Amino acid sequence: MKRMYVGIFFISLLLVLGACSDKDKQVSKNTSKDNTEEKSQQAVSPSVDQLDSIILGDSRKDLKAQQGGKLMQDMTLEVELKQEDSAELSNKLGKELKSSLEKLTDETQNPVKLQKGLVHLLGSHYYSEVIEQAEDFEPEFEEPFLPEPGKTAEEVKNEPKSGKAIILLDASSSMLLRVDDEVKMDIAKDAVKRFAETIGQENEVSLVVYGHKGSESDADKQLSCTGIEEIYPMDSYNQATFEESLATFESKGWTPLASAIKKSSEMSKDMDGTITVYIVSDGIETCDGDPVKEAKAFVKNNDKRTVNIIGFHVDKDAESQLKAVSEAGEGEYYGADDADDLKTTIEKEWLPSNVDLAWAFTKAPGPWEILDEYERFDKELEIIRTVIKNEKARYDEALAILREEEMLDSDISDKLKTLISDRYRNMMDTMQDFRSEKIAEIDERSDGIHDQVEAWTEAMRERKKERGDLW
């Protein structure tokens, strides 16, 4: 019996000790938590020395240099751009903001330093990002693509008459290579778009793409070599539809040049009048076809048909083959090594010189296009303004807490409010000045294009007079 009592005693003692141990652990855990919270609060509470290093500037440079508030570290830009009322802000920051403000007012009662303290706690981290994005804005007016006015009378005489134009665009995998940091396919698409817009004023246009199916692997050779597609059927030029067609494919596979020319023959077998094939390619036939043979077949017994080729950044073997194809097609071969060469060659060699001068003026930006650019920049600017407004809302909420908790005398509170309001207005004025700068840039770019078009028109008018063209 005595042993049983002793056993019960020891068991009870162990239970008490265990409970004490658990209680000690809990106390230790709570103490650790309190220490962590205290350290967190201490971390966001600025010292006077820290306040002295904060710049309260309102220029773009000063705003971009702002480090942002310690209480705002976890706020994403998406959240930063949302309008929040004071209740939501108080709920989010809660005791941490109040505690930080208490420590701040214990450190100083100077209104300027208090304002710097609010920036230290609640300032935005995103000025640099959003301002630089707006500074990078450039107007997206399309560069005018105008025919070379300096053609001789002989060159004009040999120009094809108005008729039909079949554009063959090489989209094989080699067009994924880069020239001067630009993808060759992107350069070619842009050049073809501009060419079609100009030549389409007097001709029906078709766009055929090849090499855009499958891949460059042997397994996909059959698919790629037979995947030739007329993506813009022969018709009068429509800008929106043509540009949409250019967006439907990417460079991928092999180079069925011969089959593409053969498709041109099949497409045009029942067509009359002048038919000119324009080929933009960067390489030789890789699908076992004979492009020279197909070019001869296209022009056989028809002096109104021609095959012209631009070899875009090609090697000697490709240039030799493409020259032979153009000769077989009763046309011309031109070489282009970069984006500027491609544009210049198309302007000077492919575009007719008798483009309507009145049409040229449509290439300069109109009032609606200019307004569109204004609005596009205003969207960028509104992001910055929203950051400024929401930041001020946080300062106003902090000021309300300072007043409610009587952490400041009323006169100091009033001075702090004035400083916050003045800086806000100055920041908004800075953004208005920024808008004026960008509007001036947009106007300057638009005026430059207008001057360019007018200069071209005058040069074309003089050239026509020299040649004795009918006016």
Side-chain angles (χ1 to χ4, degrees):
M1 179 67 71
K2 184 177 180 180
R3 286 183 180 177
M4 182 176 72
Y5 286 137
V6 171
I8 292 172
F9 171 76
F10 276 112
I11 291 172
S12 300
L13 179 61
L14 289 172
L15 290 173
V16 171
L17 291 173
C20 290
S21 177
D22 289 343
K23 185 176 181 181
D24 289 342
K25 288 180 181 178
Q26 184 63 40
V27 170
S28 176
K29 183 176 180 182
N30 290 339
T31 302
S32 175
K33 182 178 179 182
D34 291 341
N35 289 338
T36 300
E37 289 179 353
E38 183 178 351
K39 287 180 181 178
S40 174
Q41 291 174 357
Q42 289 174 349
V44 299
S45 300
S47 67
V48 174
D49 291 340
Q50 287 176 306
L51 295 179
D52 288 339
S53 66
I54 295 175
I55 298 174
L56 293 175
D58 46 45
S59 68
R60 295 208 309 268
K61 181 180 178 181
D62 290 336
L63 290 176
K64 288 193 292 183
Q66 180 170 299
Q67 296 300 306
K70 299 302 181 182
L71 295 178
M72 302 291 104
Q73 294 284 357
D74 297 329
M75 179 178 283
T76 65
L77 180 57
E78 182 181 5
V79 174
E80 174 76 286
L81 294 175
K82 289 181 179 177
Q83 291 284 0
E84 297 186 74
D85 60 31
S86 59
E88 290 175 320
L89 185 63
S90 295
N91 183 57
K92 179 179 293 184
L93 299 178
K95 294 180 180 178
E96 193 171 12
L97 174 58
K98 182 179 177 182
S99 175
S100 297
L101 292 175
E102 287 174 347
K103 291 180 180 294
L104 174 62
T105 52
D106 287 343
E107 285 277 343
T108 182
Q109 289 285 303
N110 181 290
V112 174
K113 290 186 176 181
L114 288 170
Q115 184 185 16
K116 290 184 176 184
L118 295 185
V119 174
H120 176 88
L121 294 171
L122 301 171
S124 176
H125 292 269
Y126 292 104
Y127 283 123
S128 178
E129 179 178 338
V130 298
I131 290 175
E132 286 179 1
Q133 180 174 314
E135 287 175 337
D136 289 340
F137 173 92
E138 292 184 359
E140 292 183 348
F141 298 128
E142 191 165 313
E143 192 72 20
F145 198 43
L146 305 170
E148 168 62 45
K151 292 187 178 183
T152 66
E154 185 66 21
E155 287 173 326
V156 172
K157 180 180 178 182
N158 293 330
E159 283 179 350
K161 304 301 180 184
S162 298
K164 295 177 172 60
I166 301 174
I167 304 169
L168 303 185
L169 181 55
D170 180 357
S172 59
S173 60
S174 58
M175 291 290 277
L176 291 173
L177 299 176
R178 303 180 79 86
V179 176
D180 296 335
D181 291 330
E182 290 187 82
V183 176
K184 292 166 75 174
M185 188 76 262
D186 294 339
I187 296 171
K189 281 184 176 182
D190 185 61
V192 164
K193 178 186 73 173
R194 294 165 181 264
F195 170 62
E197 181 181 16
T198 306
I199 202 169
Q201 304 304 308
E202 298 181 343
N203 298 266
E204 290 187 353
V205 178
S206 169
L207 176 60
V208 175
V209 63
Y210 60 93
H212 64 302
K213 299 288 187 180
S215 70
E216 58 184 337
S217 70
D218 291 339
D220 279 343
K221 182 175 181 179
Q222 179 66 19
L223 171 63
S224 186
C225 289
T226 57
I228 302 160
E229 188 177 4
E230 185 183 20
I231 59 175
Y232 187 90
M234 183 67 73
D235 203 348
S236 56
Y237 175 78
N238 179 281
Q239 181 178 0
T241 306
F242 193 90
E243 291 182 7
E244 286 171 7
S245 71
L246 282 170
T248 60
F249 67 91
E250 296 296 337
S251 302
K252 290 184 178 180
W254 297 64
T255 310
L257 177 58
S259 294
I261 298 173
K262 183 177 181 179
K263 183 173 182 65
S264 299
S265 296
E266 294 169 351
M267 289 164 42
S268 59
K269 64 181 179 180
D270 296 325
M271 296 178 184
D272 297 323
T274 300
I275 301 175
T276 308
V277 170
Y278 298 94
I279 302 173
V280 177
S281 177
D282 77 333
I284 62 174
E285 168 76 33
T286 61
C287 289
D288 308 316
D290 186 344
V292 172
K293 175 184 174 182
E294 296 301 336
K296 286 181 179 178
F298 178 76
V299 300
K300 185 178 181 181
N301 301 324
N302 195 327
D303 61 2
K304 293 183 179 181
R305 296 190 171 208
T306 311
V307 177
N308 294 316
I309 300 178
I310 291 180
F312 184 31
H313 200 255
V314 299
D315 58 27
K316 290 184 178 180
D317 290 340
E319 183 176 66
S320 178
Q321 184 184 79
L322 295 175
K323 281 183 177 179
V325 173
S326 63
E327 289 173 4
E330 303 294 333
E332 298 289 341
Y333 170 84
Y334 308 99
D337 290 330
D338 54 34
D340 288 339
D341 273 357
L342 185 61
K343 174 187 172 184
T344 301
T345 301
I346 288 178
E347 284 181 337
K348 185 172 182 179
E349 308 296 352
W350 280 8
L351 291 176
S353 65
N354 58 341
V355 173
D356 186 352
L357 297 184
W359 171 80
F361 283 101
T362 68
K363 300 297 96 190
W368 292 113
E369 292 173 281
I370 296 171
L371 286 174
D372 285 343
E373 291 302 297
Y374 291 172
E375 291 176 5
R376 198 165 66 83
F377 176 72
D378 282 340
K379 290 179 181 178
E380 300 285 349
L381 193 64
E382 186 57 29
I383 293 174
I384 307 173
R385 286 172 169 159
T386 300
V387 172
I388 294 172
K389 291 174 185 176
N390 288 348
E391 182 184 67
K392 182 177 183 294
R394 295 195 290 270
Y395 297 153
D396 289 342
E397 173 61 17
L399 187 60
I401 294 173
L402 290 170
R403 285 175 166 172
E404 289 170 6
E405 300 296 328
E406 298 183 347
M407 299 182 197
L408 299 176
D409 292 338
S410 60
D411 61 329
I412 295 174
S413 174
D414 290 343
K415 289 178 181 177
L416 178 57
K417 179 180 179 181
T418 299
L419 289 173
I420 292 170
S421 297
D422 287 348
R423 185 173 185 238
Y424 171 77
R425 282 193 296 271
N426 290 339
M427 291 162 73
M428 284 300 193
D429 288 344
T430 294
M431 291 305 109
Q432 187 59 38
D433 292 342
F434 185 23
R435 182 180 190 274
S436 297
E437 289 177 25
K438 282 296 181 180
I439 294 301
E441 287 181 23
I442 293 170
D443 290 343
E444 183 179 0
R445 181 72 191 107
S446 172
D447 291 343
I449 293 175
H450 277 274
D451 292 344
Q452 191 176 345
V453 170
E454 288 179 6
W456 174 88
T457 305
E458 182 60 29
M460 181 67 83
R461 184 180 290 113
E462 291 301 316
R463 180 62 64 182
K464 283 176 173 286
K465 289 180 179 179
E466 291 173 10
R467 292 196 303 244
D469 293 354
L470 292 177
W471 188 247

